[in-house]
Amino acid sequence: GMLDESDVSAIRASDLPDERGMDDSCLGSVSVLAATYGQNCGAKRGNANAIAGSTCNGTAVCVLSIIASDIGDPCANTAKDFNVTYMCSATCTRSAYVPKEANQHAVRLDCSGQPVPPAPTRAVIADQLVRDITQREFHQTGGDIGHRYILLALRDSNRSDVVD
């Protein structure tokens, strides 16, 4: 039903983001609690704590590159994921995940207080890709390695017409 005045007063202003969309509970600095490379293959939890902490602790926003040779390989010949849990403040704990194979990817740890934008859908990304190719007069810029993946992305989005 409808909210009456007593319900509304129960919602404290501190529970709501301010007019800029800030989330003050997550405004602070990164403190890594656990960073694990290869949790999916039974790696020891926290095996990437040292590198994640030395890179990100104390920052408001940190982009952490996941480099297997720096962390060590917890299980050979297996694709590994990456999990990190971190605190921004006493009332804000966040986590980030990179699916296997996480090596050579990056993860963003954010304690800026800004709301986390939703990930774009595949359809939105496909539309952006088609628009980019069209604006370039159907020239693609993926290079020798990326070209195949552009074609696969277009096929999977039923937009092969762009390159026919």
Side-chain angles (χ1 to χ4, degrees), residues 69-125:
S69 58
D70 293 347
I71 300 166
D73 189 344
C75 30
N77 306 316
T78 305
K80 288 160 279 293
D81 62 3
F82 186 85
N83 285 281
V84 59
T85 303
Y86 60 101
M87 284 179 66
C88 294
S89 67
T91 56
C92 177
T93 301
R94 288 186 160 172
S95 59
Y97 176 74
V98 180
K100 59 189 182 184
E101 173 55 57
N103 185 31
Q104 304 294 324
H105 288 80
V107 64
R108 180 182 167 94
L109 283 58
D110 191 336
C111 291
S112 66
Q114 297 295 330
V116 178
T121 63
R122 291 179 82 93
V124 168
I125 294 169

Side-chain angles (χ1 to χ4, degrees), residues 20-42:
R20 297 184 316 270
M22 294 286 283
D23 178 359
D24 288 333
S25 72
C26 287
L27 182 59
S29 60
V30 173
S31 177
V32 172
L33 300 174
T36 308
Y37 177 58
Q39 188 168 307
N40 62 304
C41 63

Side-chain angles (χ1 to χ4, degrees), residues 4 8 10 12-14 21 32 42 74 80 82 88 94 100 117 122-123 129-130 133 138 147 155:
D4 68 24
V8 174
R12 298 189 320 277
S14 62
V32 172
K80 288 160 279 293
F82 186 85
C88 294
R94 288 186 160 172
K100 59 189 182 184
R122 291 179 82 93
L129 179 60
V130 169
I133 291 170
F138 301 94
H147 179 73
R155 181 201 69 195

Side-chain angles (χ1 to χ4, degrees), residues 49-73:
N49 283 0
I51 198 138
S54 65
T55 305
C56 295
N57 283 349
T59 65
V61 177
C62 176
V63 177
L64 176 64
S65 297
I66 303 157
I67 310 294
S69 58
D70 293 347
I71 300 166
D73 189 344

